[in-house]
C-alpha cells in the first residue's frame, strides 16, 4: 500500500464521526485501534513483515519512513504487551 492510500484512509477516518471518539480514548485503546488498522492493512500481503518489506523497498522516501514508524510502533507495543503479561 502506498503512502497516498494510507493518507487517504487517515483522512476518511478523521472525517468520520468516530474520529472525535478517538480523541477521548486512552493510550492503550488507541494502541489497540492502531494495531487493528495495521492488521487490516497487512491483510493485503502474505504477512505483516511482507507489508513492511514492501514499504521499505519502495522508491518513495515516505513509504520507507512509514515502514520504520510501523516497525517502531509494533516493537514498542509488543514490549508493552509482554510487560503486562509479566505483571
Amino acid at each position: 500500500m502506498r503512502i497516498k492510500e494510507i493518507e487517504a484512509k487517515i483522512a476518511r477516518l478523521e472525517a468520520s464521526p468516530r474520529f472525535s471518539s478517538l480523541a477521548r480514548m486512552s493510550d492503550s485503546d488507541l494502541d489497540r485501534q492502531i494495531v487493528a488498522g495495521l492488521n487490516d492493512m497487512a491483510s493485503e500481503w502474505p504477512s505483516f513483515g511482507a507489508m513492511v518489506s514492501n514499504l521499505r523497498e519502495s522508491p518513495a522516501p515516505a513509504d520507507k519512513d512509514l515502514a520504520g514508524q510501523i516497525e517502531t510502533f509494533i516493537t514498542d507495543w509488543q514490549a508493552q504487551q509482554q510487560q503486562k503479561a509479566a505483571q
Side-chain angles (χ1 to χ4, degrees), residues 13-32:
L13 175 63
E14 289 174 341
S16 77
R18 281 185 31 194
F19 182 71
S20 61
S21 66
L22 292 175
R24 294 185 296 264
M25 286 184 171
S26 69
D27 286 347
S28 61
D29 288 338
L30 283 172
D31 285 351
R32 280 192 285 281

Side-chain angles (χ1 to χ4, degrees), residues 47-67:
S47 68
F48 186 81
M51 177 186 76
V52 172
S53 293
N54 185 283
L55 289 169
R56 282 224 181 272
E57 294 168 3
S58 169
D63 286 350
K64 293 175 191 232
D65 184 50
L66 179 61

Side-chain angles (χ1 to χ4, degrees), residues 1-85:
M1 181 175 297
R2 299 286 181 241
I3 189 71
K4 295 295 181 188
E5 294 173 31
I6 295 168
E7 288 173 345
K9 285 185 177 188
I10 291 170
R12 283 193 301 272
L13 175 63
E14 289 174 341
S16 77
R18 281 185 31 194
F19 182 71
S20 61
S21 66
L22 292 175
R24 294 185 296 264
M25 286 184 171
S26 69
D27 286 347
S28 61
D29 288 338
L30 283 172
D31 285 351
R32 280 192 285 281
Q33 288 287 332
I34 292 168
V35 170
L38 289 172
N39 283 331
D40 184 48
M41 288 169 41
S43 69
E44 298 177 22
W45 284 275
S47 68
F48 186 81
M51 177 186 76
V52 172
S53 293
N54 185 283
L55 289 169
R56 282 224 181 272
E57 294 168 3
S58 169
D63 286 350
K64 293 175 191 232
D65 184 50
L66 179 61
Q69 291 176 19
I70 291 171
E71 285 179 320
T72 299
F73 173 83
I74 292 299
T75 300
D76 292 347
W77 183 80
Q78 287 173 334
Q80 289 173 3
Q81 297 308 304
Q82 289 174 351
Q83 286 175 346
K84 287 178 186 178

